[in-house]
mmCIF file of all heavy atoms in Angstrom:
data_model
loop_
_atom_site.group_PDB
_atom_site.id
_atom_site.type_symbol
_atom_site.label_atom_id
_atom_site.label_comp_id
_atom_site.label_asym_id
_atom_site.label_seq_id
_atom_site.Cartn_x
_atom_site.Cartn_y
_atom_site.Cartn_z
ATOM 1 N N SER I 109 225.506 97.721 -106.263
ATOM 2 C CA SER I 109 226.919 97.324 -106.303
ATOM 3 C C SER I 109 227.632 97.973 -107.502
ATOM 4 O O SER I 109 228.811 98.298 -107.428
ATOM 5 C CB SER I 109 227.043 95.805 -106.363
ATOM 6 O OG SER I 109 226.301 95.332 -107.463
ATOM 7 N N GLN I 110 226.899 98.194 -108.600
ATOM 8 C CA GLN I 110 227.541 98.737 -109.804
ATOM 9 C C GLN I 110 227.881 100.239 -109.676
ATOM 10 O O GLN I 110 228.515 100.807 -110.551
ATOM 11 C CB GLN I 110 226.686 98.490 -111.060
ATOM 12 C CG GLN I 110 225.315 99.117 -111.105
ATOM 13 C CD GLN I 110 224.229 98.192 -110.569
ATOM 14 O OE1 GLN I 110 224.445 97.457 -109.625
ATOM 15 N NE2 GLN I 110 223.048 98.249 -111.157
ATOM 16 N N PHE I 111 227.449 100.887 -108.555
ATOM 17 C CA PHE I 111 227.754 102.311 -108.346
ATOM 18 C C PHE I 111 229.270 102.549 -108.369
ATOM 19 O O PHE I 111 229.746 103.495 -109.000
ATOM 20 C CB PHE I 111 227.169 102.767 -106.996
ATOM 21 C CG PHE I 111 227.403 104.214 -106.661
ATOM 22 C CD1 PHE I 111 226.492 105.194 -107.022
ATOM 23 C CD2 PHE I 111 228.537 104.613 -105.950
ATOM 24 C CE1 PHE I 111 226.706 106.528 -106.696
ATOM 25 C CE2 PHE I 111 228.764 105.945 -105.629
ATOM 26 C CZ PHE I 111 227.837 106.899 -106.002
ATOM 27 N N ALA I 112 230.019 101.672 -107.686
ATOM 28 C CA ALA I 112 231.471 101.869 -107.560
ATOM 29 C C ALA I 112 232.144 101.844 -108.921
ATOM 30 O O ALA I 112 233.038 102.639 -109.205
ATOM 31 C CB ALA I 112 232.061 100.795 -106.659
ATOM 32 N N GLU I 113 231.667 100.958 -109.788
ATOM 33 C CA GLU I 113 232.268 100.843 -111.123
ATOM 34 C C GLU I 113 231.869 102.051 -111.985
ATOM 35 O O GLU I 113 232.688 102.616 -112.711
ATOM 36 C CB GLU I 113 231.805 99.523 -111.767
ATOM 37 C CG GLU I 113 232.494 99.171 -113.068
ATOM 38 C CD GLU I 113 231.753 99.681 -114.295
ATOM 39 O OE1 GLU I 113 230.524 99.822 -114.248
ATOM 40 O OE2 GLU I 113 232.424 99.955 -115.301
ATOM 41 N N ALA I 114 230.618 102.461 -111.864
ATOM 42 C CA ALA I 114 230.120 103.550 -112.710
ATOM 43 C C ALA I 114 230.757 104.886 -112.339
ATOM 44 O O ALA I 114 230.930 105.761 -113.175
ATOM 45 C CB ALA I 114 228.601 103.638 -112.600
ATOM 46 N N LEU I 115 231.103 105.045 -111.067
ATOM 47 C CA LEU I 115 231.590 106.346 -110.589
ATOM 48 C C LEU I 115 232.825 106.153 -109.729
ATOM 49 O O LEU I 115 232.747 106.185 -108.508
ATOM 50 C CB LEU I 115 230.501 106.971 -109.711
ATOM 51 C CG LEU I 115 229.668 108.077 -110.323
ATOM 52 C CD1 LEU I 115 228.390 108.228 -109.559
ATOM 53 C CD2 LEU I 115 230.428 109.380 -110.294
ATOM 54 N N SER I 116 233.990 105.927 -110.362
ATOM 55 C CA SER I 116 235.167 105.678 -109.531
ATOM 56 C C SER I 116 236.060 106.915 -109.485
ATOM 57 O O SER I 116 236.871 107.144 -110.372
ATOM 58 C CB SER I 116 235.930 104.456 -110.044
ATOM 59 O OG SER I 116 236.327 104.653 -111.366
ATOM 60 N N PHE I 117 235.847 107.711 -108.449
ATOM 61 C CA PHE I 117 236.642 108.926 -108.220
ATOM 62 C C PHE I 117 237.194 108.871 -106.805
ATOM 63 O O PHE I 117 236.438 108.591 -105.854
ATOM 64 C CB PHE I 117 235.782 110.173 -108.399
ATOM 65 C CG PHE I 117 235.380 110.405 -109.822
ATOM 66 C CD1 PHE I 117 234.228 109.825 -110.319
ATOM 67 C CD2 PHE I 117 236.175 111.155 -110.669
ATOM 68 C CE1 PHE I 117 233.863 110.015 -111.639
ATOM 69 C CE2 PHE I 117 235.820 111.351 -111.987
ATOM 70 C CZ PHE I 117 234.664 110.767 -112.479
ATOM 71 N N GLU I 118 238.475 109.160 -106.693
ATOM 72 C CA GLU I 118 239.194 109.004 -105.431
ATOM 73 C C GLU I 118 238.484 109.681 -104.251
ATOM 74 O O GLU I 118 238.335 109.089 -103.190
ATOM 75 C CB GLU I 118 240.618 109.582 -105.616
ATOM 76 C CG GLU I 118 241.632 109.161 -104.595
ATOM 77 C CD GLU I 118 241.550 107.694 -104.175
ATOM 78 O OE1 GLU I 118 241.530 106.795 -105.053
ATOM 79 O OE2 GLU I 118 241.491 107.477 -102.963
ATOM 80 N N SER I 119 238.031 110.923 -104.444
ATOM 81 C CA SER I 119 237.496 111.651 -103.288
ATOM 82 C C SER I 119 235.972 111.579 -103.187
ATOM 83 O O SER I 119 235.381 112.219 -102.321
ATOM 84 C CB SER I 119 237.954 113.110 -103.339
ATOM 85 O OG SER I 119 237.530 113.680 -104.553
ATOM 86 N N VAL I 120 235.335 110.811 -104.076
ATOM 87 C CA VAL I 120 233.869 110.671 -103.978
ATOM 88 C C VAL I 120 233.585 109.369 -103.240
ATOM 89 O O VAL I 120 233.734 108.287 -103.793
ATOM 90 C CB VAL I 120 233.194 110.680 -105.371
ATOM 91 C CG1 VAL I 120 231.684 110.587 -105.234
ATOM 92 C CG2 VAL I 120 233.587 111.938 -106.131
ATOM 93 N N LYS I 121 233.202 109.499 -101.983
ATOM 94 C CA LYS I 121 233.057 108.310 -101.135
ATOM 95 C C LYS I 121 231.631 108.247 -100.575
ATOM 96 O O LYS I 121 231.416 108.396 -99.369
ATOM 97 C CB LYS I 121 234.086 108.353 -99.994
ATOM 98 C CG LYS I 121 235.533 108.261 -100.475
ATOM 99 C CD LYS I 121 235.918 106.835 -100.840
ATOM 100 C CE LYS I 121 237.348 106.692 -101.286
ATOM 101 N NZ LYS I 121 237.514 106.355 -102.693
ATOM 102 N N LYS I 122 230.678 108.019 -101.443
ATOM 103 C CA LYS I 122 229.290 107.964 -100.983
ATOM 104 C C LYS I 122 228.959 106.571 -100.431
ATOM 105 O O LYS I 122 228.498 106.437 -99.305
ATOM 106 C CB LYS I 122 228.347 108.356 -102.111
ATOM 107 C CG LYS I 122 228.520 109.819 -102.525
ATOM 108 C CD LYS I 122 227.352 110.357 -103.303
ATOM 109 C CE LYS I 122 227.494 111.866 -103.498
ATOM 110 N NZ LYS I 122 226.331 112.488 -104.100
ATOM 111 N N GLN I 123 229.233 105.538 -101.251
ATOM 112 C CA GLN I 123 228.966 104.162 -100.803
ATOM 113 C C GLN I 123 229.732 103.840 -99.519
ATOM 114 O O GLN I 123 229.185 103.272 -98.587
ATOM 115 C CB GLN I 123 229.444 103.201 -101.901
ATOM 116 C CG GLN I 123 228.368 102.320 -102.397
ATOM 117 C CD GLN I 123 228.825 101.453 -103.563
ATOM 118 O OE1 GLN I 123 230.013 101.292 -103.842
ATOM 119 N NE2 GLN I 123 227.859 100.878 -104.228
ATOM 120 N N GLU I 124 231.015 104.225 -99.490
ATOM 121 C CA GLU I 124 231.864 103.916 -98.336
ATOM 122 C C GLU I 124 231.328 104.609 -97.080
ATOM 123 O O GLU I 124 231.413 104.079 -95.976
ATOM 124 C CB GLU I 124 233.309 104.363 -98.583
ATOM 125 C CG GLU I 124 234.035 103.624 -99.674
ATOM 126 C CD GLU I 124 233.725 104.137 -101.087
ATOM 127 O OE1 GLU I 124 232.762 104.927 -101.263
ATOM 128 O OE2 GLU I 124 234.439 103.731 -102.015
ATOM 129 N N THR I 125 230.783 105.826 -97.265
ATOM 130 C CA THR I 125 230.249 106.567 -96.112
ATOM 131 C C THR I 125 229.040 105.837 -95.530
ATOM 132 O O THR I 125 228.906 105.700 -94.308
ATOM 133 C CB THR I 125 229.855 108.008 -96.536
ATOM 134 O OG1 THR I 125 231.018 108.645 -97.058
ATOM 135 C CG2 THR I 125 229.327 108.807 -95.365
ATOM 136 N N VAL I 126 228.174 105.335 -96.400
ATOM 137 C CA VAL I 126 227.001 104.600 -95.900
ATOM 138 C C VAL I 126 227.455 103.317 -95.200
ATOM 139 O O VAL I 126 226.947 102.965 -94.129
ATOM 140 C CB VAL I 126 225.991 104.306 -97.033
ATOM 141 C CG1 VAL I 126 224.868 103.407 -96.544
ATOM 142 C CG2 VAL I 126 225.420 105.609 -97.586
ATOM 143 N N GLU I 127 228.457 102.638 -95.774
ATOM 144 C CA GLU I 127 228.978 101.434 -95.119
ATOM 145 C C GLU I 127 229.504 101.789 -93.722
ATOM 146 O O GLU I 127 229.286 101.047 -92.763
ATOM 147 C CB GLU I 127 230.109 100.791 -95.951
ATOM 148 C CG GLU I 127 229.614 100.058 -97.180
ATOM 149 C CD GLU I 127 228.500 99.048 -96.872
ATOM 150 O OE1 GLU I 127 228.685 98.225 -95.959
ATOM 151 O OE2 GLU I 127 227.443 99.113 -97.534
#
Side-chain angles (χ1 to χ4, degrees):
S109 55
Q110 62 268 37
F111 180 91
E113 188 268 332
L115 257 160
S116 59
F117 291 88
E118 197 40 51
S119 57
V120 182
K121 295 282 182 248
K122 294 198 171 187
Q123 238 175 15
E124 294 82 348
T125 301
V126 173
E127 285 308 309

